[in-house]
Structure formats: structure tokens, C-alpha cells
């Protein structure tokens, strides 16, 4: 997630100047564009940072420039406008006086960041550590989030899909695991979402479907639970269009002939 620590430096070190390391001073201009450097940084007035000025002030200025760039970029879909709630914050963050630049933590409370996209991305980043019930509720909400275009195709394929595959392999492939209601409900939340992603983003490219979905079909039909199989059979048409006859016979029809062994069987 984080990278490019080429200019990380302590401040106030004993190098004779009371400022950043000689390495920082030498390469700052070459590594960091001028627009992202605060006035005291541009003029090399690092001594001002030793006068009771919070150390976050330099990065605060740079972050404000970055946020402004993102929102005003032609491909940002914002008509080149920074959201009004952020404008005042950015002005404070770019204040010429380092002492007057705010701390960054309160910025996260800005209403701009309290939206479905941000909430979904944060949950996806933390999904492994989330309680099972919260995870199931989130998975059940994703089809609507995808339908509304909140998350992109790349997020669906490269961020959501791996989570679904991991969940299926840890639950669906183990009979003992599927005997637990919480795991069964997780699989029932995964299957519709898996096929929604397959239909919306993978079916148009057979190679992607073969790579991401085809290996999961035997695993899915090996689950002797009528709820899971019923959910899969609702999407049998996409399997017919993407799998060859041999795969259909071995992975779909043969397991179906074995019937069900769940409590409703």
C-alpha cells in the first residue's frame, strides 16, 4: 500500500543545520516535484521546523496538493471540481505558515470520505479480520453495490473475486465446514456474487472465465446442499455457454446425479 520512502528523514538531527539528512537535501528537488514542496521546503528554511512547528506540516502541504490534483484531473469524473467540504480543509493544509497547517487525522471525518465506495474499500481491506456475521452481511450487499457502479470492474475481478475464491476453498471444499450453519450461509452469500461477477465482467472474455471460474465449478457442485446447488443451477445457462461438454458432464451432471445429503434431503 505504501511505498517511495526515498525521502524519509528525521528532523532536527545533529548535522549542523538542524534539519533533514544530507541525503534528503541533496535529492529532494530531484525526487519530489516542486508543486508538492511547501514554501519552507522550497527555500530550504528547515530551521523553521525546529521552532515548535509540528513535524506533519511538510507532509500536510504535500497531501493537500495531491488531493487537489486527484479531484481536478480530467479523468476524475468530478468536472474538475474539488468537493466543497474539502476546499476549506485544503486551504488550511496549504497555509504558508507551517504552524497553521492542521493535523491530518481529523480530515478522515470529512463527509466526502463517508460514502459507499470508501466504506466498501475499507471493508475489503479488512475483511479477513472481520467477524463472520459482518462478512456475510457485507457479501450480501455487494451485488447491489456492483449494480450501482460504486465499485469498478478491476475491483470486482482483482479484489473481490480472490476473497470469494478463498472463502469457497475454505468452506465449500470441506464437508465438516459445510455442516456449520455460519459457513453454509457464507457460501450461499458467495455464490450469487461469484456468478454476478462472472456474467458482468468475465463471460465476455472466455480466457478470464476459464482462469477464474472454471476451476471452481467442480468444487461448487461437490457441495451436497440443495440451497447451494439451487443457487448454482439458477446460473446454469452461463456454465453451458462457457464450459465444454466434457467439463459439463464431469463437473455438473455427475455430481447432480448423486442427490443431496443436507438435512432437507
Amino acid at each position: 500500500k505504501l511505498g517511495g520512502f526515498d525521502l524519509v528523514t528525521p528532523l532536527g538531527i545533529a548535522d549542523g543545520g538542524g534539519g533533514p539528512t544530507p541525503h534528503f537535501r541533496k535529492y529532494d528537488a530531484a525526487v519530489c516535484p516542486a508543486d508538492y514542496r511547501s514554501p519552507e521546503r522550497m527555500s530550504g528554511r528547515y530551521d523553521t521546523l525546529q521552532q515548535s512547528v509540528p513535524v506533519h506540516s511538510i507532509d500536510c502541504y504535500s497531501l493537500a496538493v495531491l488531493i487537489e490534483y486527484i479531484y481536478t484531473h480530467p479523468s476524475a469524473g468530478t468536472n474538475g471540481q474539488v468537493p466543497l467540504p474539502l476546499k476549506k480543509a485544503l486551504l488550511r493544509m496549504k497555509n504558508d505558515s507551517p504552524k497553521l497547517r492542521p493535523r491530518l487525522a481529523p480530515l478522515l471525518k470529512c463527509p466526502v470520505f463517508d460514502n459507499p465506495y470508501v466504506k466498501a474499500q475499507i471493508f475489503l481491506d479488512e475483511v479477513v479480520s472481520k467477524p463472520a456475521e459482518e462478512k456475510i452481511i457485507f457479501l450480501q450487499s455487494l451485488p447491489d453495490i456492483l449494480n450501482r457502479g460504486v465499485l469498478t470492474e478491476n475491483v470486482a475481478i482483482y479484489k473481490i473475486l480472490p476473497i470469494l475464491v478463498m472463502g469457497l476453498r475454505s468452506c465449500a471444499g470441506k464437508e465438516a465446514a459445510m455442516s456449520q450453519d455460519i459457513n453454509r450461509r457464507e457460501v450461499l452469500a458467495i455464490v450469487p456474487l461469484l456468478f454476478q461477477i462472472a456474467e458482468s465482467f468475465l463471460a465476455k472474455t472466455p480466457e478470464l472465465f476459464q482462469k477464474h471460474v472454471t476451476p471452481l465449478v467442480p468444487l461448487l457442485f461437490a457441495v451436497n446442499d440443495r440451497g447451494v446447488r439451487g443457487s448454482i443451477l439458477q446460473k446454469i445457462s452461463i456454465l453451458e455457454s462457457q464450459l465444454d461438454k466434457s467439463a459439463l458432464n464431469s463437473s455438473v451432471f455427475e455430481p447432480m446425479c448423486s442427490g443431496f445429503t443436507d438435512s432437507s434431503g
Side-chain angles (χ1 to χ4, degrees), residues 107-122:
L107 184 66
L108 296 176
K109 297 180 181 179
C110 179
V112 171
F113 302 122
D114 184 20
N115 60 66
Y117 175 83
V118 172
K119 290 179 179 178
Q121 288 282 20
I122 291 175

Side-chain angles (χ1 to χ4, degrees), residues 56-105:
H56 70 263
S57 58
I58 290 181
D59 293 328
C60 180
Y61 185 98
S62 301
L63 179 62
V65 176
L66 177 62
I67 292 174
E68 200 169 49
Y69 172 81
I70 290 172
Y71 276 102
T72 58
H73 194 276
S75 62
T78 59
N79 294 321
Q81 298 295 316
V82 176
L84 189 60
L86 270 181
K87 285 186 176 180
K88 288 185 178 180
L90 294 182
L91 287 175
R92 293 178 59 211
M93 292 168 69
K94 293 174 66 177
N95 195 298
D96 285 342
S97 172
K99 290 184 179 181
L100 298 180
R101 294 174 200 149
R103 293 190 177 276
L104 299 176

Side-chain angles (χ1 to χ4, degrees), residues 47-257:
D47 57 307
T48 61
L49 298 176
Q50 311 309 315
Q51 302 168 4
S52 302
V53 174
V55 294
H56 70 263
S57 58
I58 290 181
D59 293 328
C60 180
Y61 185 98
S62 301
L63 179 62
V65 176
L66 177 62
I67 292 174
E68 200 169 49
Y69 172 81
I70 290 172
Y71 276 102
T72 58
H73 194 276
S75 62
T78 59
N79 294 321
Q81 298 295 316
V82 176
L84 189 60
L86 270 181
K87 285 186 176 180
K88 288 185 178 180
L90 294 182
L91 287 175
R92 293 178 59 211
M93 292 168 69
K94 293 174 66 177
N95 195 298
D96 285 342
S97 172
K99 290 184 179 181
L100 298 180
R101 294 174 200 149
R103 293 190 177 276
L104 299 176
L107 184 66
L108 296 176
K109 297 180 181 179
C110 179
V112 171
F113 302 122
D114 184 20
N115 60 66
Y117 175 83
V118 172
K119 290 179 179 178
Q121 288 282 20
I122 291 175
F123 199 101
L124 287 170
D125 287 340
E126 302 173 350
V127 69
V128 176
S129 61
K130 292 292 185 180
E133 289 290 352
E134 287 187 28
K135 184 178 178 181
I136 291 172
I137 293 172
F138 176 70
L139 291 173
Q140 291 171 336
S141 72
L142 279 178
D144 178 62
I145 291 176
L146 289 173
N147 283 335
R148 290 189 285 120
V150 174
L151 297 177
T152 65
E153 177 177 342
N154 282 338
V155 173
I157 296 175
Y158 300 109
K159 201 165 186 178
I160 298 175
L161 193 56
I163 293 172
L164 304 184
V165 173
M166 180 174 63
L168 284 175
R169 295 196 184 282
S170 63
C171 297
K174 302 172 183 177
E175 187 173 342
M178 285 301 295
S179 66
Q180 300 178 29
D181 182 65
I182 192 71
N183 292 331
R184 177 179 178 275
R185 289 193 292 118
E186 181 176 338
V187 173
L188 285 171
I190 287 174
V191 170
L193 182 56
L194 172 69
F195 279 99
Q196 179 177 343
I197 293 174
E199 284 185 301
S200 301
F201 307 120
L202 303 178
K204 57 188 178 183
T205 309
E207 294 80 8
L208 285 177
F209 190 96
Q210 294 292 327
K211 177 182 177 180
H212 294 288
V213 179
T214 300
L216 299 175
V217 176
L219 180 65
L220 289 169
F221 276 96
V223 179
N224 289 326
D225 181 279
R226 66 181 63 241
V228 174
R229 284 193 179 174
S231 182
I232 301 170
L233 289 174
Q234 292 179 20
K235 301 296 182 180
I236 194 67
S237 59
I238 188 174
L239 295 179
E240 289 178 330
S241 66
Q242 296 290 333
L243 301 180
D244 57 37
K245 291 183 179 180
S246 176
L248 281 172
N249 285 327
S250 62
S251 301
V252 178
F253 296 123
E254 287 184 14
M256 285 301 297
C257 292

